[in-house]
Each structure stands twice: as structure tokens, then as C-alpha cells.
């Protein structure tokens, strides 16, 4: 579908389904003020996420805001993942050195699996951020990928 703004309305129209050629739904119109309020409310509602997903989201935001720590160790956060099938763990993935995702220059990718508990997700994210930023993450992380990582000092085990 295509979402557009038409003065005081948000319009959903032009429904498409690549599998079902005859797919068609009518146009839906919503009061723009109510629609925007609902979008803001939905962005804040994390109730559908399992605790590890909330921790992962909070931790990723915290780590991305710590450019001083990342720069000191020549790393960048690639991702922080939570998997529904593993609710007691998240994975932090770092890249060293940063800025090499679309180049032919060598880089190393590091994985840090972190345990997650039933504790408050905000408390866990703060604790994990403090733990991770206390030192060089490459010292405890596992080399899990990269492009010619031995050229940046990390030979495959």
C-alpha cells in the first residue's frame, strides 16, 4: 500500500500483493492528528517484546552513544541481536576497524554472547554497557567473521 498525507487525513491506498494479482482493498482514511498520536504511542509501547529484545534494544542504543569507547578500541557496533528461541541470551557484534563494510579493506568481526536474566531490562542494559565499556571488548570476544582478519591482527584460530 501507499501511505500519504491528504490535508487533515492520512490515507492508505493502492494496496498491492505480488502473489495475489486481483488483491484489492478500499482506501482507508484516518484523522491525521489521531493517526500521528497512535504512531507515537506504538513507538513507545515495547510490551510486545520479550525481555531479551528490550535489553538488546537498550544496550545497542547505549553502545552506539559511546563513541569514545568505540574509537579507543577502533570498533563499531554492527548489531545487538536477540532471538526468540534463545530468550536468556543476546549477541553483541562488533567490527574492527570501523567503516569498512563496503570496502575491500581487511576487517574482523567479533561476537559477544551475553546472558540475560529476568531482572529489569533497563537495569540489565545499564549493567552490560558498563561491563562492556570497562575495557577492550576484543580481549574477551570471539572472532566470528571478517575479511582477511589476519591482516588486522586477528588470525583464525
Amino acid at each position: 500500500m501507499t501511505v500519504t498525507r491528504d490535508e487533515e487525513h492520512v490515507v492508505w491506498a493502492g494496496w498491492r500483493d505480488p502473489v495475489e494479482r486481483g488483491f484489492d482493498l478500499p482506501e482507508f482514511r484516518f484523522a491525521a492528528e489521531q493517526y500521528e498520536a497512535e504512531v507515537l504511542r506504538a513507538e513507545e509501547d515495547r510490551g510486545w517484546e520479550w525481555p531479551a529484545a528490550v535489553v538488546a534494544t537498550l544496550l545497542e542504543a547505549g553502545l552506539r552513544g559511546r563513541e569514545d569507547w568505540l574509537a579507543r578500541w577502533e570498533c563499531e557496533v554492527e548489531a545487538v541481536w536477540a532471538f526468540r528461541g534463545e530468550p536468556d541470551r543476546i549477541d553483541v557484534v562488533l567490527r574492527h576497524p570501523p567503516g569498512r563494510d563496503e570496502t575491500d579493506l581487511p576487517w574482523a568481526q567479533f561476537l559477544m554472547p551475553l546472558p540475560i536474566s529476568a531482572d529489569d531490562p533497563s537495569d540489565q542494559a545499564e549493567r552490560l554497557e558498563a561491563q562492556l565499556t570497562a575495557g577492550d571488548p576484543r580481549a574477551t570476544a570471539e572472532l566470528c567473521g571478517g575479511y582477511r582478519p589476519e591482516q588486522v591482527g586477528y588470525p583464525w584460530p
Side-chain angles (χ1 to χ4, degrees), residues 66-152:
R66 297 292 305 270
E67 292 185 22
D68 58 327
W69 168 72
L70 293 169
R72 184 174 351 141
W73 306 113
E74 296 182 74
C75 289
E76 68 185 346
V77 175
E78 189 170 313
V80 179
W81 292 319
F83 302 99
R84 277 198 183 275
E86 297 176 354
D88 59 347
R89 175 185 132 199
I90 62 173
D91 290 339
V92 176
V93 181
L94 299 176
R95 183 185 300 253
H96 166 79
R100 297 199 173 178
D101 52 340
E102 301 272 336
T103 72
D104 289 336
L105 298 171
W107 54 275
Q109 183 183 53
F110 295 96
L111 171 67
M112 292 180 287
L114 301 172
I116 300 302
S117 69
D119 294 346
D120 177 70
S122 295
D123 293 343
Q124 287 187 78
E126 286 179 26
R127 186 178 73 253
L128 291 170
E129 182 181 337
Q131 175 187 326
L132 290 172
T133 59
D136 183 350
R138 300 168 299 175
T140 57
E142 169 188 334
L143 180 67
C144 68
Y147 176 69
R148 298 182 178 161
E150 64 282 352
Q151 291 183 9
V152 289

Side-chain angles (χ1 to χ4, degrees), residues 30-43:
F30 306 93
E33 189 174 297
Q34 287 178 301
Y35 185 91
E36 290 168 3
E38 182 59 20
V39 168
L40 289 173
R41 187 206 60 76
E43 285 177 348

Side-chain angles (χ1 to χ4, degrees), residues 10-48:
V10 172
V11 181
W12 292 2
W15 297 84
R16 298 172 292 282
D17 184 339
V19 176
E20 190 179 325
R21 293 201 180 264
F23 183 80
D24 189 34
L25 285 175
E27 174 181 288
F28 290 99
R29 297 175 89 61
F30 306 93
E33 189 174 297
Q34 287 178 301
Y35 185 91
E36 290 168 3
E38 182 59 20
V39 168
L40 289 173
R41 187 206 60 76
E43 285 177 348
E44 296 296 320
D45 179 9
R46 309 306 287 191
W48 57 272

